[in-house]
Amino acid sequence: IRDASVGLLSQKVAATNQSTNVWLSFGLVSESPTKIGVLCPGMDFTGCSATVQGTTVTCIGSSGVAYLTVSSLTLPAGLSAESIYVEMGSITNPTTAGMTTWTITSYGSDDDGDEIIFDQSEAFEGHRILSFLSINAVKTCTPQYLLSSGGVQSTWYKNCTAQNPFFGHEANKVLLNFNAFAGGEVMAGHGLVIQPPLGYSFPNTGAAAQLPTSIYTALGSQEYLDYEIVTMAEMPVEDAMTSLSDSAILINISSGET
């Protein structure tokens, strides 16, 4: 196997023990493989799905390894052949943080019909697994409550996750309240990266808003939050913090067209 690489798809979920999707790209040397093996220690491929060159194939997975059936496909092979592109879904990241290591193997049959290894890559690094940052459950409020008189709009964050969760609303304030990831270490130099959900974006009015009261611990210096439209925002964490538990931040977010 030559020129093997791997990356995260869609929302790029890299947290421990969370479901994610990946792409793989590699070149085959030997022709007519019947099966492709994907090895990544710690990754759980149970219940995986896969496409190879845009065609859905059978994916049989377990802890650390998955096998893709490609016997019905005609795949390019040779030292100068184009690369094979694979997408894999419904897989689960390892339970511990650190760099993932991947190996790709192609299988076929010898003259006696026995399965043998055709090609195999060297082990190569993939995405880094990050510690899972847990956020408290969403608190959904009805439009009637949010639009009612009596000052609800000024204190919505006490009972609701979003201030204006309405279609097409620009700069809806959303409360992110963290309840886990108490690492115990001083977090100097750490940063918080926020990526909006698929179909949403950070508006031009600014990605972060000041917390209206002190009911939560303010997380970082929000006035220095840098952001990029549609992609993600990153902010420094206060140097003296040792945990994100019971902390919160308000972000502005705009809904998409769907």
Side-chain angles (χ1 to χ4, degrees):
I1 300 288
R2 55 181 177 77
D3 303 326
S5 58
V6 63
L8 293 171
L9 285 168
S10 61
Q11 289 296 80
K12 300 185 182 298
V13 178
T16 54
N17 205 35
Q18 301 301 299
S19 180
T20 193
N21 307 300
V22 302
W23 60 264
L24 298 119
S25 179
F26 54 90
L28 293 175
V29 176
S30 302
E31 296 180 350
S32 305
T34 58
K35 186 171 67 177
I36 302 292
V38 179
L39 174 71
C40 181
M43 188 75 71
D44 189 356
F45 294 95
T46 304
C48 60
S49 61
T51 63
V52 177
Q53 301 289 79
T55 300
T56 300
V57 299
T58 299
C59 182
I60 301 174
S62 58
S63 178
V65 65
Y67 295 101
L68 314 181
T69 302
V70 295
S71 53
S72 63
L73 303 181
T74 301
L75 300 177
L79 294 177
S80 60
E82 66 179 89
S83 294
I84 309 299
Y85 182 74
V86 175
E87 291 189 359
M88 300 184 68
S90 301
I91 60 179
T92 304
N93 284 324
T95 57
T96 56
M99 189 67 71
T100 55
T101 302
W102 299 72
T103 305
I104 300 174
T105 305
S106 67
Y107 298 85
S109 300
D110 62 15
D111 294 338
D112 297 324
D114 297 325
E115 184 176 82
I116 60 172
I117 292 176
F118 275 8
D119 305 329
Q120 188 172 65
S121 72
E122 295 182 347
F124 59 96
E125 290 187 342
H127 62 289
R128 181 178 295 277
I129 301 300
L130 307 176
S131 297
F132 178 59
L133 179 58
S134 179
I135 299 178
N136 283 326
V138 171
K139 297 178 180 178
T140 302
C141 294
T142 65
Q144 290 79 5
Y145 176 82
L146 289 169
L147 298 175
S148 63
S149 59
V152 170
Q153 278 289 309
S154 63
T155 59
W156 62 271
Y157 50 85
K158 294 182 179 180
N159 301 304
C160 312
T161 294
Q163 183 181 24
N164 292 289
F166 309 121
F167 176 78
H169 194 280
E170 178 79 9
N172 172 37
K173 287 184 173 62
V174 178
L175 181 70
L176 302 181
N177 178 212
F178 307 100
N179 66 4
F181 189 46
E185 76 275 16
V186 174
M187 303 184 72
H190 288 215
L192 177 68
V193 175
I194 303 172
Q195 182 177 356
L198 191 65
Y200 290 76
S201 64
F202 290 128
N204 287 314
T205 53
Q210 292 290 336
L211 290 167
T213 73
S214 60
I215 61 172
Y216 297 109
T217 303
L219 178 58
S221 302
Q222 292 151 14
E223 63 270 24
Y224 299 118
L225 175 62
D226 295 323
Y227 67 96
E228 297 177 25
I229 301 299
V230 180
T231 54
M232 59 183 61
E234 184 171 0
M235 60 180 293
V237 175
E238 295 289 0
D239 290 351
M241 292 186 68
T242 59
S243 168
L244 296 185
S245 296
D246 298 321
S247 59
I249 182 176
L250 281 177
I251 63 170
N252 292 317
I253 195 168
S254 297
S255 66
E257 297 179 357
T258 58

